[in-house]
Amino acid sequence: MKGRRRRMFWRAGFWTGALVTFALLGLWITSGWRSIRVVTWGPQVSTMAQVQSGQLWMAYTRHPEYLDPTWTWRAETGVVEDGPRWRWGLWDRSAGLAHNLYVALWPVAALSACLTALAWWCSRRRAVAGHCPCGYSLAGLPPGENSPCPECGRPNAAR
């Protein structure tokens, strides 16, 4: 039973990783033409997260003179003006009260794809000599076509 739980764990990791990988790749490709931005601002602070040109841009800015006591937010989409393009690096532009971090999406998608491939590899069933595919040890069972596996009921010919 331990092997079955392990396979189920890795199989769930595979499907979750596949979903995340395809979502990241779709977001990365789409961001060459479209931008998505979420902005929040409140008492003396504004934050922004934007996906555009193949990168995630996160910004945090302090406004000492701005004293709005309420938090508000908005989400917006737009078109990339220069046409499709992708930026490939990671860099940080921070100056004074503004902090900006740019992260390219392709390395995150590549890492997710590698972890998904690892989960797929670990979830495969491996045939072990002297064992049924379900993992039950067949030692001591009489050989023959009419002796099914006591654990799963598979006939001997299917092993």
Side-chain angles (χ1 to χ4, degrees):
M1 203 56 145
K2 183 177 177 183
R4 181 183 169 116
R5 284 190 194 140
R6 185 179 302 134
R7 278 193 306 273
M8 288 175 55
F9 171 78
W10 286 110
R11 193 169 296 143
F14 165 72
W15 286 110
T16 304
L19 180 67
V20 168
T21 300
F22 283 118
L24 282 170
L25 287 174
L27 186 63
W28 178 64
I29 291 169
T30 305
S31 71
W33 291 272
R34 305 283 301 174
S35 68
I36 303 166
R37 178 183 359 202
V38 176
V39 181
T40 64
W41 63 93
Q44 301 180 349
V45 173
S46 68
T47 57
M48 181 197 60
Q50 178 174 339
V51 176
Q52 178 181 346
S53 302
Q55 66 183 2
L56 172 64
W57 172 23
M58 296 171 284
Y60 173 82
T61 308
R62 293 184 318 157
H63 306 280
E65 70 281 351
Y66 183 65
L67 298 173
D68 186 2
T70 61
W71 277 93
T72 56
W73 72 279
R74 74 171 181 258
E76 41 189 52
T77 62
V79 177
V80 177
E81 290 89 18
D82 300 342
R85 67 173 184 193
W86 290 270
R87 295 188 179 138
W88 303 94
L90 165 69
W91 66 94
D92 178 22
R93 282 191 218 159
S94 298
L97 301 175
H99 301 284
N100 297 307
L101 178 66
Y102 300 87
V103 179
L105 290 175
W106 73 267
V108 179
L111 177 65
S112 176
C114 289
L115 292 175
T116 301
L118 175 70
W120 171 79
W121 185 78
C122 290
S123 71
R124 296 181 308 155
R125 290 184 183 217
R126 293 176 187 89
V128 178
H131 288 75
C132 183
C134 72
Y136 187 80
S137 174
L138 300 176
L141 291 179
E145 302 230 358
N146 295 333
S147 60
C149 171
E151 183 76 16
C152 67
R154 276 195 181 99
N156 196 7
R159 290 183 229 149

